[in-house]
């Protein structure tokens, strides 16, 4: 079965709206794991708009499955990651003005910088993943950087799904998954996946793990987090 990584950033977003202690992302992570999630994803953004430094210290201690830290390649964030040692680091581009991670990392353009970042993370035993567009050049750059896995950005597919006429974007993800698998890379995917469009991505041959946040946390408002995670797992299974 394709695995599910739950991104808990938006639990922290709600907490930060009041700068209080509730809802607690650490408790959220535990509930997601109890519901069957295969990993927990959290993004320590440079502007600390949701997840805080103390959260990742506590998450590192409490997560029993796999802790996937999403992060930019800024030196201060890398230093924290090397200290915390998550199981996995997913390198993403970051712009302060964006509402969410809008595009994939340009692995080709930042190749030199990424070589040293990936090496440093690898030396600490952290598995490195690159969040990239479903694009041949990006996949080839990831392969050359010697990372074991990539996460394909499904944002364009998700937007096209709402508009209808998503087939071209879906085909791109299908063919780029096959291409990356041929090169020996583990392929994950995420961004904008929800209860209606996830099954199309989950059935792609060679797909390993889907990282989903906003739709699960949104659904949790109405049915509770445990139920929301279980429902997403059943979408993936079907
Ligand atoms: N994967 C990556 C690399 C992301 O940056 C995000 C958004 O934080 C997600 C997955 C989850 O996206 P969404 O919240 O739209 O499900």
């Amino acid at each position: 079965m394709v695995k599910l990584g739950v991104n808990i950033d938006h639990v922290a977003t709600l907490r930060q709206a009041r700068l209080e202690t509730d809802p607690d992302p650490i408790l959220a992570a535990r509930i997601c794991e109890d519901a069957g999630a295969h990993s927990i994803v959290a993004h320590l953004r440079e502007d600390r708009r949701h997840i805080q430094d103390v959260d990742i210290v506590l998450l590192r201690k409490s997560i029993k499955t796999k802790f996937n830290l999403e992060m930019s390649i800024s030196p201060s964030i890398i230093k924290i990651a090397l200290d915390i040692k998550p199981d996995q680091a997913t390198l993403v581009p970051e712009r302060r003005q964006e509402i969410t991670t809008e595009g994939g990392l340009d692995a080709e353009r930042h190749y030199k910088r990424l070589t040293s970042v990936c090496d440093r993370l690898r030396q600490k035993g952290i598995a490195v993943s690159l969040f990239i567009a479903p694009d041949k050049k990006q996949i080839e750059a990831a392969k050359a950087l010697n990372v074991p896995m990539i996460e394909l950005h499904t944002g364009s597919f998700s937007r096209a799904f709402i508009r209808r006429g998503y087939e071209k974007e879906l085909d791109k993800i299908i063919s780029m998954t096959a291409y990356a698998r041929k090169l020996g890379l583990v392929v994950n995917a995420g961004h904008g996946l929800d209860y209606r469009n996830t099954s199309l991505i989950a059935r792609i041959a060679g797909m390993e793990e889907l990282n989903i946040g906003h739709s699960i946390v949104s659904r949790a408002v109405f049915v509770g987090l445990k139920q929301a995670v279980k429902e997403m797992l059943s979408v993936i299974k079907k």
Side-chain angles (χ1 to χ4, degrees):
M1 177 190 155
V2 173
K3 294 187 186 119
L4 172 65
V6 180
N7 181 313
I8 55 166
D9 291 350
H10 292 297
V11 176
T13 300
L14 194 53
R15 178 193 61 189
Q16 295 309 109
R18 279 284 174 96
L19 300 175
E20 295 282 355
T21 51
D22 284 327
D24 178 12
I26 317 306
L27 177 58
R30 193 179 317 146
I31 292 170
C32 292
E33 289 187 311
D34 287 348
H38 302 92
S39 64
I40 300 297
V41 188
H43 185 175
L44 183 70
R45 291 189 77 103
E46 288 165 43
D47 63 9
R48 307 298 197 271
R49 69 174 73 159
H50 37 58
I51 294 292
Q52 306 297 305
D53 297 57
V54 65
D55 293 327
I56 60 163
V57 173
L58 296 173
L59 285 169
R60 172 66 294 184
K61 285 188 188 149
S62 64
I63 288 171
K64 292 188 184 72
T65 52
K66 178 178 79 172
F67 179 18
N68 177 3
L69 179 67
E70 262 183 46
M71 52 182 274
S72 73
I73 54 172
S74 89
S76 62
I77 297 287
I78 291 160
K79 190 168 172 296
I80 293 169
L82 293 171
D83 232 36
I84 297 288
K85 298 195 203 75
D87 302 295
Q88 183 179 322
T90 299
L91 306 183
V92 303
E94 202 173 299
R95 285 190 295 123
R96 290 223 172 187
Q97 297 80 3
E98 69 188 359
I99 292 173
T100 179
T101 316
E102 279 163 9
L105 189 67
D106 192 339
E108 217 195 355
R109 184 160 159 228
H110 299 294
Y111 188 82
K112 211 167 153 201
R113 175 107 182 273
L114 281 168
T115 306
S116 117
V117 172
C118 293
D119 277 351
R120 290 173 72 199
L121 291 166
R122 219 183 340 253
Q123 276 161 21
K124 289 278 181 181
I126 303 166
V128 183
S129 177
L130 303 184
F131 186 46
I132 55 174
D135 173 90
K136 253 188 176 178
K137 284 200 168 139
Q138 295 300 330
I139 292 168
E140 283 161 4
K143 175 69 187 166
L145 282 161
N146 208 18
V147 294
M149 71 191 120
I150 55 170
E151 179 174 339
L152 296 178
H153 198 308
T154 50
S156 299
F157 157 76
S158 301
R159 280 193 299 278
F161 187 86
I162 296 166
R163 293 194 306 266
R164 303 240 155 82
Y166 57 80
E167 289 77 5
K168 211 173 115 201
E169 294 299 333
L170 182 61
D171 283 349
K172 228 189 265 177
I173 297 170
I174 293 171
S175 62
M176 287 305 105
T177 300
Y179 185 61
R181 291 292 300 126
K182 217 167 74 185
L183 296 183
L185 291 161
V186 170
V187 181
N188 306 320
H191 211 279
L193 297 180
D194 62 23
Y195 293 86
R196 286 157 298 162
N197 63 23
T198 292
S199 62
L200 290 165
I201 302 296
R203 71 174 68 134
I204 295 175
M207 190 58 73
E208 177 75 17
E209 184 168 53
L210 302 179
N211 294 316
I212 308 178
H214 188 261
S215 64
I216 292 176
V217 175
S218 301
R219 179 106 183 108
V221 172
F222 301 108
V223 302
L225 187 54
K226 193 167 190 174
Q227 177 67 14
V229 172
K230 282 188 170 172
E231 286 178 15
M232 187 56 85
L233 281 165
S234 100
V235 168
I236 292 173
K237 256 183 224 162
K238 271 186 209 153

